[in-house]
Amino acid sequence: MKYISIGYSIILPFLGCLYLHAEEEKKPQGFSGITELGIVVTSGNSSNATTTGRIDLNYDLRRWLHHLKVNVINTRTDGIRTAERYNLNTKSNYKLQNEQFLFLSFTHDIDNFSGFQYQSAVAMGYGRNIISNDTMKWSVDVGPGY
């Protein structure tokens, strides 16, 4: 019995800190995101030019979390295009209690150097945030898609 009391006295303050931390994260944060633009030009035996771009935006509301991600890459080698890809991902989460959510997502991918003209997917279902802190975010989604 003595060891159980010692165990509880160690674990309970830790659980209290986790609860307070979770309550802080539930506040809506509004807009956040990252944008990138990269250009690499090389010359020598051959000349290469690569252009990349990325937009990664979140809009966090009290009950909704919207996510938009766009990736673009274009590459030319000796004046001939060797890579061209455009990717769009959107996802909206309707927040439930205890780090759970319902989601709807859409993905559209155009890669002019693949075997497909384009690929698209839409999915909906249930998700749960497993880990969500400043250094790492991990969530699991389950549901049907087309």
Side-chain angles (χ1 to χ4, degrees):
M1 190 68 159
K2 177 179 164 183
Y3 295 110
I4 293 173
S5 298
I6 292 171
Y8 280 129
S9 65
I10 293 171
I11 292 173
L12 286 178
F14 176 72
L15 292 176
C17 291
L18 285 178
Y19 176 76
L20 290 174
H21 183 67
E23 287 298 316
E24 289 175 7
E25 288 186 348
K26 290 184 181 179
K27 294 177 184 175
Q29 298 177 355
F31 274 107
S32 64
I34 297 171
T35 58
E36 291 179 2
L37 177 62
I39 300 171
V40 176
V41 178
T42 60
S43 63
N45 293 338
S46 64
S47 61
N48 298 315
T50 301
T51 306
T52 62
R54 178 176 85 137
I55 298 172
D56 194 347
L57 297 175
N58 291 311
Y59 187 40
D60 190 358
L61 300 168
R62 188 176 66 82
R63 292 301 255 165
W64 288 92
L65 174 62
H66 303 288
H67 184 79
L68 170 70
K69 187 173 184 179
V70 178
N71 288 308
V72 176
I73 185 167
N74 284 294
T75 301
R76 288 186 179 273
T77 302
D78 294 327
I80 299 171
R81 185 166 294 188
T82 56
E84 182 179 19
R85 184 173 185 202
Y86 308 94
N87 181 267
L88 169 73
N89 293 309
T90 64
K91 184 178 178 187
S92 291
N93 294 348
Y94 180 74
K95 299 175 189 175
L96 303 172
Q97 295 177 344
N98 300 327
E99 300 295 325
Q100 302 175 61
F101 56 89
L102 301 175
F103 74 90
L104 176 64
S105 69
F106 173 73
T107 301
H108 187 72
D109 192 19
I110 298 171
D111 188 346
N112 291 330
F113 288 84
S114 74
F116 300 99
Q117 185 176 6
Y118 68 88
Q119 295 180 48
S120 295
V122 64
M124 59 186 271
Y126 166 82
R128 181 171 179 86
N129 294 322
I130 305 298
I131 298 173
S132 182
N133 57 44
D134 293 338
T135 58
M136 188 164 90
K137 297 194 182 314
W138 179 32
S139 65
V140 176
D141 299 345
V142 177
Y146 175 74

